[in-house]
PDB file of all heavy atoms in Angstrom:
ATOM      1  N   CYS A 528     -27.546   4.623  -0.832  1.00  0.00           N
ATOM      2  CA  CYS A 528     -27.638   5.368   0.398  1.00  0.00           C
ATOM      3  C   CYS A 528     -28.224   4.544   1.575  1.00  0.00           C
ATOM      4  O   CYS A 528     -28.337   4.960   2.622  1.00  0.00           O
ATOM      5  CB  CYS A 528     -28.646   6.470   0.190  1.00  0.00           C
ATOM      6  SG  CYS A 528     -30.418   6.059  -0.270  1.00  0.00           S
ATOM      7  N   LEU A 529     -28.453   3.268   1.295  1.00  0.00           N
ATOM      8  CA  LEU A 529     -29.006   2.321   2.265  1.00  0.00           C
ATOM      9  C   LEU A 529     -30.371   2.582   2.760  1.00  0.00           C
ATOM     10  O   LEU A 529     -30.704   2.102   3.885  1.00  0.00           O
ATOM     11  CB  LEU A 529     -27.966   1.999   3.421  1.00  0.00           C
ATOM     12  CG  LEU A 529     -26.530   1.640   2.954  1.00  0.00           C
ATOM     13  CD1 LEU A 529     -25.630   1.493   4.120  1.00  0.00           C
ATOM     14  CD2 LEU A 529     -26.616   0.308   2.112  1.00  0.00           C
ATOM     15  N   VAL A 530     -31.114   3.278   2.118  1.00  0.00           N
ATOM     16  CA  VAL A 530     -32.524   3.664   2.547  1.00  0.00           C
ATOM     17  C   VAL A 530     -33.492   2.700   1.895  1.00  0.00           C
ATOM     18  O   VAL A 530     -33.298   2.419   0.663  1.00  0.00           O
ATOM     19  CB  VAL A 530     -32.870   5.203   2.166  1.00  0.00           C
ATOM     20  CG1 VAL A 530     -34.275   5.414   2.521  1.00  0.00           C
ATOM     21  CG2 VAL A 530     -31.979   6.049   3.152  1.00  0.00           C
ATOM     22  N   ILE A 531     -34.431   2.192   2.596  1.00  0.00           N
ATOM     23  CA  ILE A 531     -35.540   1.295   1.922  1.00  0.00           C
ATOM     24  C   ILE A 531     -36.570   2.120   1.306  1.00  0.00           C
ATOM     25  O   ILE A 531     -36.973   3.154   1.698  1.00  0.00           O
ATOM     26  CB  ILE A 531     -36.060   0.505   3.053  1.00  0.00           C
ATOM     27  CG1 ILE A 531     -35.107  -0.568   3.638  1.00  0.00           C
ATOM     28  CG2 ILE A 531     -37.302  -0.381   2.455  1.00  0.00           C
ATOM     29  CD1 ILE A 531     -35.571  -1.360   4.794  1.00  0.00           C
ATOM     30  N   GLY A 532     -36.964   1.680   0.023  1.00  0.00           N
ATOM     31  CA  GLY A 532     -38.001   2.315  -0.655  1.00  0.00           C
ATOM     32  C   GLY A 532     -37.754   2.762  -2.037  1.00  0.00           C
ATOM     33  O   GLY A 532     -38.607   3.127  -2.855  1.00  0.00           O
ATOM     34  N   HIS A 533     -36.410   2.677  -2.380  1.00  0.00           N
ATOM     35  CA  HIS A 533     -36.035   2.989  -3.867  1.00  0.00           C
ATOM     36  C   HIS A 533     -34.785   2.144  -4.106  1.00  0.00           C
ATOM     37  O   HIS A 533     -34.197   1.603  -3.248  1.00  0.00           O
ATOM     38  CB  HIS A 533     -35.809   4.484  -4.115  1.00  0.00           C
ATOM     39  CG  HIS A 533     -34.728   4.966  -3.406  1.00  0.00           C
ATOM     40  ND1 HIS A 533     -34.730   5.486  -2.086  1.00  0.00           N
ATOM     41  CD2 HIS A 533     -33.427   5.271  -3.730  1.00  0.00           C
ATOM     42  CE1 HIS A 533     -33.581   5.907  -1.665  1.00  0.00           C
ATOM     43  NE2 HIS A 533     -32.739   5.749  -2.664  1.00  0.00           N
ATOM     44  N   LEU A 534     -34.422   2.135  -5.458  1.00  0.00           N
ATOM     45  CA  LEU A 534     -33.206   1.433  -5.983  1.00  0.00           C
ATOM     46  C   LEU A 534     -32.168   2.448  -6.196  1.00  0.00           C
ATOM     47  O   LEU A 534     -32.363   3.594  -6.422  1.00  0.00           O
ATOM     48  CB  LEU A 534     -33.641   0.554  -7.082  1.00  0.00           C
ATOM     49  CG  LEU A 534     -34.695  -0.426  -6.950  1.00  0.00           C
ATOM     50  CD1 LEU A 534     -34.870  -1.080  -8.339  1.00  0.00           C
ATOM     51  CD2 LEU A 534     -34.323  -1.464  -5.878  1.00  0.00           C
ATOM     52  N   ALA A 535     -30.851   1.969  -6.325  1.00  0.00           N
ATOM     53  CA  ALA A 535     -29.719   2.746  -6.501  1.00  0.00           C
ATOM     54  C   ALA A 535     -29.850   3.603  -7.868  1.00  0.00           C
ATOM     55  O   ALA A 535     -29.489   4.712  -7.991  1.00  0.00           O
ATOM     56  CB  ALA A 535     -28.481   1.916  -6.459  1.00  0.00           C
ATOM     57  N   ARG A 536     -30.426   2.905  -8.830  1.00  0.00           N
ATOM     58  CA  ARG A 536     -30.545   3.631 -10.179  1.00  0.00           C
ATOM     59  C   ARG A 536     -31.445   4.846 -10.061  1.00  0.00           C
ATOM     60  O   ARG A 536     -31.479   5.716 -10.913  1.00  0.00           O
ATOM     61  CB  ARG A 536     -31.127   2.643 -11.184  1.00  0.00           C
ATOM     62  CG  ARG A 536     -32.415   2.202 -10.952  1.00  0.00           C
ATOM     63  CD  ARG A 536     -32.954   1.454 -12.200  1.00  0.00           C
ATOM     64  NE  ARG A 536     -34.362   0.985 -11.779  1.00  0.00           N
ATOM     65  CZ  ARG A 536     -34.742  -0.347 -11.820  1.00  0.00           C
ATOM     66  NH1 ARG A 536     -33.888  -1.320 -11.982  1.00  0.00           N
ATOM     67  NH2 ARG A 536     -35.996  -0.539 -11.515  1.00  0.00           N
ATOM     68  N   ASP A 537     -32.343   4.919  -9.107  1.00  0.00           N
ATOM     69  CA  ASP A 537     -33.260   5.979  -8.819  1.00  0.00           C
ATOM     70  C   ASP A 537     -32.810   6.869  -7.722  1.00  0.00           C
ATOM     71  O   ASP A 537     -33.546   7.841  -7.456  1.00  0.00           O
ATOM     72  CB  ASP A 537     -34.662   5.524  -8.654  1.00  0.00           C
ATOM     73  CG  ASP A 537     -35.118   4.585  -9.652  1.00  0.00           C
ATOM     74  OD1 ASP A 537     -34.948   4.857 -10.878  1.00  0.00           O
ATOM     75  OD2 ASP A 537     -35.817   3.545  -9.370  1.00  0.00           O
ATOM     76  N   CYS A 538     -31.699   6.668  -7.129  1.00  0.00           N
ATOM     77  CA  CYS A 538     -31.307   7.340  -5.876  1.00  0.00           C
ATOM     78  C   CYS A 538     -30.923   8.769  -6.150  1.00  0.00           C
ATOM     79  O   CYS A 538     -30.127   9.147  -7.119  1.00  0.00           O
ATOM     80  CB  CYS A 538     -30.083   6.682  -5.219  1.00  0.00           C
ATOM     81  SG  CYS A 538     -29.617   7.383  -3.708  1.00  0.00           S
ATOM     82  N   LYS A 539     -31.557   9.704  -5.455  1.00  0.00           N
ATOM     83  CA  LYS A 539     -31.227  11.177  -5.543  1.00  0.00           C
ATOM     84  C   LYS A 539     -30.601  11.677  -4.202  1.00  0.00           C
ATOM     85  O   LYS A 539     -30.348  12.874  -4.108  1.00  0.00           O
ATOM     86  CB  LYS A 539     -32.525  12.010  -5.852  1.00  0.00           C
ATOM     87  CG  LYS A 539     -33.245  11.591  -7.170  1.00  0.00           C
ATOM     88  CD  LYS A 539     -34.413  12.279  -7.482  1.00  0.00           C
ATOM     89  CE  LYS A 539     -35.061  12.089  -8.745  1.00  0.00           C
ATOM     90  NZ  LYS A 539     -34.846  10.910  -9.492  1.00  0.00           N
ATOM     91  N   SER A 540     -30.270  10.864  -3.365  1.00  0.00           N
ATOM     92  CA  SER A 540     -29.618  11.132  -2.053  1.00  0.00           C
ATOM     93  C   SER A 540     -28.173  11.736  -2.348  1.00  0.00           C
ATOM     94  O   SER A 540     -27.449  11.096  -3.065  1.00  0.00           O
ATOM     95  CB  SER A 540     -29.621  10.025  -1.098  1.00  0.00           C
ATOM     96  OG  SER A 540     -28.904  10.431   0.095  1.00  0.00           O
ATOM     97  N   PRO A 541     -27.826  12.780  -1.606  1.00  0.00           N
ATOM     98  CA  PRO A 541     -26.471  13.243  -1.677  1.00  0.00           C
ATOM     99  C   PRO A 541     -25.462  12.382  -0.948  1.00  0.00           C
ATOM    100  O   PRO A 541     -24.269  12.400  -1.046  1.00  0.00           O
ATOM    101  CB  PRO A 541     -26.456  14.651  -1.110  1.00  0.00           C
ATOM    102  CG  PRO A 541     -27.655  14.614  -0.210  1.00  0.00           C
ATOM    103  CD  PRO A 541     -28.653  13.650  -0.789  1.00  0.00           C
ATOM    104  N   VAL A 542     -26.112  11.560  -0.077  1.00  0.00           N
ATOM    105  CA  VAL A 542     -25.220  10.627   0.845  1.00  0.00           C
ATOM    106  C   VAL A 542     -24.898   9.374   0.015  1.00  0.00           C
ATOM    107  O   VAL A 542     -25.733   8.690  -0.487  1.00  0.00           O
ATOM    108  CB  VAL A 542     -25.986  10.258   2.091  1.00  0.00           C
ATOM    109  CG1 VAL A 542     -25.142   9.326   2.984  1.00  0.00           C
ATOM    110  CG2 VAL A 542     -26.352  11.523   2.850  1.00  0.00           C
TER     111      VAL A 542
END
Side-chain angles (χ1 to χ4, degrees):
C528 68
L529 302 180
V530 173
I531 294 175
H533 66 276
L534 300 178
R536 68 173 179 242
D537 304 320
C538 186
K539 294 180 180 20
S540 173
V542 179

